[in-house]
Amino acid sequence: MILTVTLNTALDVTYHVPRLLPHASHRVCDVRERPGGKGVNVARVLAALGHRTTVTGFAGGPTGEVLRGSLDGIQDALVPCAGSTRRTVAVVDATTGDTTQFNEAGPVISAAEWARFQDRYRELLGTARAVALCGSLPPGLPVGAYAVLVRAARAAGVPVLLDTGGEALRRGVAARPDLIKPNATELAELTGSREPLPAALAARRRGAHAVVASLGPAGLLAATPEGTWQAAPPQALAGNPTGAGDSAVAGLLSALAEGLDWPERLARAVALSAATVRAPAAGEFDPADYAGLLPAVHIKSI
């Protein structure tokens, strides 16, 4: 079983409008809802790859009930909380293709709820092959929450990937996760360096065993004990990048659980990310497109 942790789950709501105009009333052409939060998105891709996947985190209120009822093909191990799960609202302008995002903060988590979650998390680690800790922290949780979860995974002997930003990433790196997956901005904020390779090496010195940084259209940069690589898609991609980073995390995590070497891990992550960009629905991917992209990923040692 692969475990993903989403402490700040969300119900993702997407509105499609003919044209988005400030200070105007809009008629919605199409509306879609699906369970979200970075770890939930990662779990969805893992399930599509054929991995048995469990999600944990917090869910509460009517929104949380809708989210839990929509976890098709994913094992639900979410912990109830008194507050209501947040919503994210994306408004897609059909004329330009641009998306405007509104993200709620999430429910306030009490000390007792945090303690209950940690008990559940440690139980789940007993059967996990790998774990991903993903996304923002909801209000009420300590900024070092991910550091606590990284240490618990290491104590259980379970490889742990951390995908977050800001102070939560800074504290989490100090707990020595097996892998972090920041984007270029998050990596620069962590290390103070805007050059990706020196920044990735600096992040390793801060405690991360390995670093895989997202470079947008340029693909991924990996700094690991076995070497450093850059992996890129075979060509410039047109499409919607929403969810591409979560697909990359799923690729890395699944390959880690399967014991693949680093070039194979990076090829899978880039191919999944690229297939997600090219898919018509945000955050999804076409398995046939992924299979075609996989052998075409460019990987070089640096």
Side-chain angles (χ1 to χ4, degrees):
M1 178 268 286
I2 298 179
L3 177 64
T4 71
V5 174
T6 312
L7 296 174
N8 207 8
T9 57
L11 183 66
D12 293 339
V13 183
T14 302
Y15 294 131
H16 293 260
V17 298
R19 186 172 181 82
L20 181 62
L21 299 171
H23 317 298
S25 177
H26 296 80
R27 186 174 298 279
V28 176
C29 303
D30 181 58
V31 58
R32 300 184 185 185
E33 291 184 347
R34 71 173 187 177
K38 290 181 71 65
V40 175
N41 297 337
V42 170
R44 185 183 300 110
V45 176
L46 288 168
L49 291 172
H51 286 274
R52 188 166 66 89
T53 309
T54 298
V55 294
T56 190
F58 294 102
T63 308
E65 288 301 314
V66 174
L67 183 150
R68 300 184 80 162
S70 306
L71 293 172
D72 297 332
I74 302 169
Q75 182 66 38
D76 177 1
L78 293 165
V79 174
C81 61
S84 186
T85 295
R86 68 189 176 121
R87 293 159 299 178
T88 69
V89 178
V91 182
V92 180
D93 184 322
T95 302
T96 64
D98 292 338
T99 299
T100 301
Q101 192 84 15
F102 300 89
N103 297 326
E104 297 177 1
V108 176
I109 303 300
S110 70
E113 289 166 341
W114 173 229
R116 284 197 295 272
F117 170 80
Q118 290 180 73
D119 290 341
R120 183 69 175 120
Y121 173 70
R122 290 188 176 93
E123 291 175 5
L124 292 165
L125 287 174
T127 56
R129 299 168 60 198
V131 58
L133 311 174
C134 302
S136 62
L137 297 176
L141 287 191
V143 71
Y146 280 134
V148 172
L149 301 184
V150 168
R151 292 188 187 102
R154 287 178 55 82
V158 179
V160 56
L161 181 155
L162 177 62
D163 182 16
T164 188
E167 189 61 23
L169 175 60
R170 189 181 307 277
R171 300 285 187 93
V173 165
R176 306 187 65 81
D178 294 274
L179 174 61
I180 63 171
K181 208 288 296 174
N183 60 35
T185 299
E186 292 164 343
L187 187 60
E189 290 174 350
L190 174 66
T191 65
S193 174
R194 296 197 172 276
E195 293 296 325
L197 181 55
L201 295 173
R204 289 200 62 221
R205 290 192 294 271
R206 288 173 179 263
H209 187 69
V211 178
V212 176
S214 296
L215 304 180
L220 299 174
L221 170 73
T224 82
E226 289 77 26
T228 56
W229 293 270
Q230 187 163 352
Q235 59 197 32
L237 301 173
N240 185 351
T242 301
D246 299 331
S247 291
V249 169
L252 292 168
L253 194 64
S254 61
L256 174 65
E258 294 170 26
L260 301 185
D261 63 23
W262 273 107
E264 291 175 297
R265 296 180 196 182
L266 295 170
R268 180 179 293 185
V270 169
L272 278 171
S273 181
T276 300
V277 170
R278 300 206 304 198
E284 306 291 343
F285 74 95
D286 180 344
D289 193 28
Y290 159 64
L293 285 163
L294 185 59
V297 173
H298 299 304
I299 300 176
K300 64 179 181 178
S301 179
I302 56 176

